[in-house]
């Protein structure tokens, strides 16, 4: 009798084991030339604005991570700076950071916009990727909302052929539109099984592990770049000197004082950032304060100063001081 009742239990146990697939957790980074839609995709996956988006190359200077929490997996997105042919010391450092990051992540997503032909910049990156043997690589065709299906099909074929030519195979090729939220959750479904088995690496509420000061500096830098796209593309660095809660405030009316310096390379650039009668700097303050308050969930008093750090991009000592 006992033997008979044992059978259904083993079936139930097998059923149960099937339902509790192991939890996975790991790191992925999106690569691609500037403006390939990497940061927008990060934000769409995480569901909040984390990585900064800007159509200037090299605006994501720090490894900003967005964290996607799922029942079966936790995906940590590492945003590496763009890989490019270095012209300065800063450029070389960025490239080293990129290669190190690629070797350490569990999945690499190569982003290629649907509306732009595969160019030399893309080939340069994919060639570098071909050299990283162990890491699974996914080709992500972004901005699919901008093209007809025929152009999209051609892009999918082109990216597939490029890998073949370089002697490797994409783990997946997937078209997405972050703006229209098409196939974004499918992308997360495809990345999850490629991650190692692991319990969650970050607590549930975390969206990013960047120290808040660094993220605040990035938001100010993004706002400062807005008005001066062509004049000062990379000559702006922002350092948050301190973030302190204002004393003697009632508990229900907190205020955070943030003191930050915007560094430029030459005195002649000061006028560009400050603007006539200080208007531009004021706009930068208003704009970034709104984003900072949304990020930190608290009212902020932002004190911004513009300072000159002579030729900081070429000076190792200044680079260190400015956090590179």
């Amino acid at each position: 009798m006992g033997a008979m009742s044992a059978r259904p239990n083993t079936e139930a146990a097998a059923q149960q084991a099937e339902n509790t697939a192991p939890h996975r957790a790991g790191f992925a980074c999106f690569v691609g030339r500037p403006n390939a839609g990497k940061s927008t995709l990060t934000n769409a996956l995480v569901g909040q604005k984390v990585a900064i988006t800007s159509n200037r190359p090299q605006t994501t200077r720090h490894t900003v991570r967005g964290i996607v929490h799922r029942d079966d997996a936790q995906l940590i997105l590492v945003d590496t700076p763009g890989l490019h042919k270095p012209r300065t010391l800063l450029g070389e450092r960025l490239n080293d950071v990129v290669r190190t990051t690629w070797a350490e992540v569990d999945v690499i997503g190569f982003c290629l916009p649907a509306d732009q032909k595969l160019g030399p910049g893309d080939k340069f990156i994919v060639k570098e990727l071909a050299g990283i043997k162990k890491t699974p690589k996914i080709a992500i065709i972004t901005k699919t909302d901008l093209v007809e299906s025929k152009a999209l099909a051609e892009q999918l074929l082109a990216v597939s052929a490029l890998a073949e030519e370089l002697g490797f195979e994409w783990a997946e090729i997937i078209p997405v539109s972050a703006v229209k939220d098409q196939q974004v959750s499918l992308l997360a479904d495809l990345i999850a099984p490629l991650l190692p088995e692991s319990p969650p690496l970050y607590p549930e509420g975390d969206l990013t592990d960047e120290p808040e000061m660094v993220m605040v500096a990035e938001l100010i830098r993004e706002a400062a770049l807005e008005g001066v796209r062509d004049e000062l593309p990379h000559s702006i660095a922002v350092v948050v000197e301190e973030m302190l809660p204002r004393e003697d405030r009632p508990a229900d009316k907190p205020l955070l004082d943030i003191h930050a310096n915007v560094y430029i390379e030459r005195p002649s650039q000061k006028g560009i950032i400050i603007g006539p009668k200080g208007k531009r700097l004021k706009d930068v303050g208003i704009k970034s304060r709104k984003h900072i308050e949304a990020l930190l969930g608290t009212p902020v008093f932002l004190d911004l100063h513009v300072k000159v750090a002579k030729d900081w991009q070429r000076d190792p000592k200044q680079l260190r001081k400015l956090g590179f």
Side-chain angles (χ1 to χ4, degrees):
M1 184 80 193
M4 276 184 69
S5 63
R7 256 195 78 216
N9 289 354
T10 44
E11 271 176 27
Q15 188 68 45
Q16 201 180 343
E18 215 164 275
N19 294 343
T20 54
H23 186 278
R24 295 176 178 275
F27 296 83
C29 72
F30 294 142
V31 303
R33 59 191 152 118
N35 211 14
K38 304 181 291 280
S39 299
T40 313
L41 189 53
T42 299
N43 295 334
L45 277 163
V46 177
Q48 280 218 14
K49 184 168 177 168
V50 198
I52 66 165
T53 52
S54 155
N55 54 12
R56 296 251 34 127
Q58 270 176 274
T59 40
T60 317
R61 282 271 176 75
H62 296 277
T63 310
V64 179
R65 297 175 171 89
I67 302 170
V68 183
H69 300 277
R70 296 162 52 107
D71 293 337
D72 61 335
Q74 187 181 67
L75 169 61
I76 299 132
L77 298 165
V78 189
D79 214 358
T80 51
L83 188 80
H84 53 95
K85 299 201 166 67
R87 285 189 307 280
T88 60
L89 182 64
L90 175 64
E92 279 171 41
R93 274 204 197 166
L94 289 175
N95 280 359
D96 291 343
V97 169
V98 174
R99 290 194 184 88
T100 316
T101 306
W102 289 3
E104 287 168 359
V105 296
D106 301 296
V107 182
I108 299 173
F110 168 66
C111 295
L112 178 71
D115 64 333
Q116 295 168 32
K117 286 266 181 279
L118 253 172
D122 300 307
K123 291 178 179 157
F124 176 68
I125 292 170
V126 176
K127 204 170 156 189
E128 290 279 333
L129 286 181
I132 294 171
K133 299 283 184 248
K134 289 197 178 86
T135 318
K137 296 168 266 295
I138 293 180
I140 306 163
I141 310 297
T142 58
K143 309 186 184 186
T144 55
D145 51 296
L146 301 179
V147 298
E148 300 292 315
S149 53
K150 184 174 175 288
L152 179 58
E154 283 170 6
Q155 196 71 312
L156 292 167
L157 286 170
V159 74
S160 168
L162 180 60
E164 208 168 297
E165 198 180 302
L166 293 165
F168 76 96
E169 210 178 312
W170 300 108
E172 305 278 355
I173 299 178
I174 176 173
V176 302
S177 166
V179 173
K180 292 267 197 307
D181 198 22
Q182 287 162 348
Q183 306 237 91
V184 173
S185 60
L186 176 61
L187 174 62
D189 293 344
L190 294 176
I191 293 175
L194 299 170
L195 303 174
E197 288 182 20
S198 158
L201 302 169
Y202 288 89
E204 180 66 48
D206 287 11
L207 291 171
T208 169
D209 81 336
E210 268 303 296
E212 286 174 343
M213 284 172 110
V214 175
M215 292 187 70
V216 166
E218 287 283 307
L219 288 170
I220 296 169
R221 187 165 181 272
E222 180 182 19
L225 277 171
E226 276 305 279
V228 294
R229 293 204 185 294
D230 304 318
E231 300 158 278
L232 308 174
H234 309 314
S235 347
I236 298 176
V238 175
V239 176
V240 174
E241 297 295 338
E242 56 178 17
M243 280 171 43
L244 296 169
R246 175 87 54 99
E247 287 180 11
D248 311 326
R249 296 283 291 194
D252 57 342
K253 289 211 170 79
L255 183 68
L256 188 65
D257 282 317
I258 298 180
H259 300 279
N261 291 327
V262 177
Y263 287 96
I264 46 180
E265 293 192 287
R266 289 188 291 288
S268 60
Q269 297 169 335
K270 214 165 173 174
I272 300 175
I273 286 278
I274 294 173
K277 294 203 173 118
K279 187 181 176 320
R280 182 168 277 150
L281 189 63
K282 197 174 166 194
D283 289 348
V284 169
I286 292 168
K287 195 166 189 174
S288 53
R289 198 185 74 224
K290 220 166 60 201
H291 286 308
I292 294 165
E293 290 181 338
L295 173 76
L296 302 178
T298 177
V300 161
F301 172 78
L302 182 59
D303 175 39
L304 276 186
H305 292 274
V306 179
K307 299 196 166 184
V308 179
K310 220 164 125 30
D311 291 331
W312 64 264
Q313 293 200 41
R314 295 174 192 282
D315 176 351
K317 225 168 55 216
Q318 303 255 29
L319 279 173
R320 271 200 302 279
K321 185 182 153 205
L322 299 175
F324 296 112

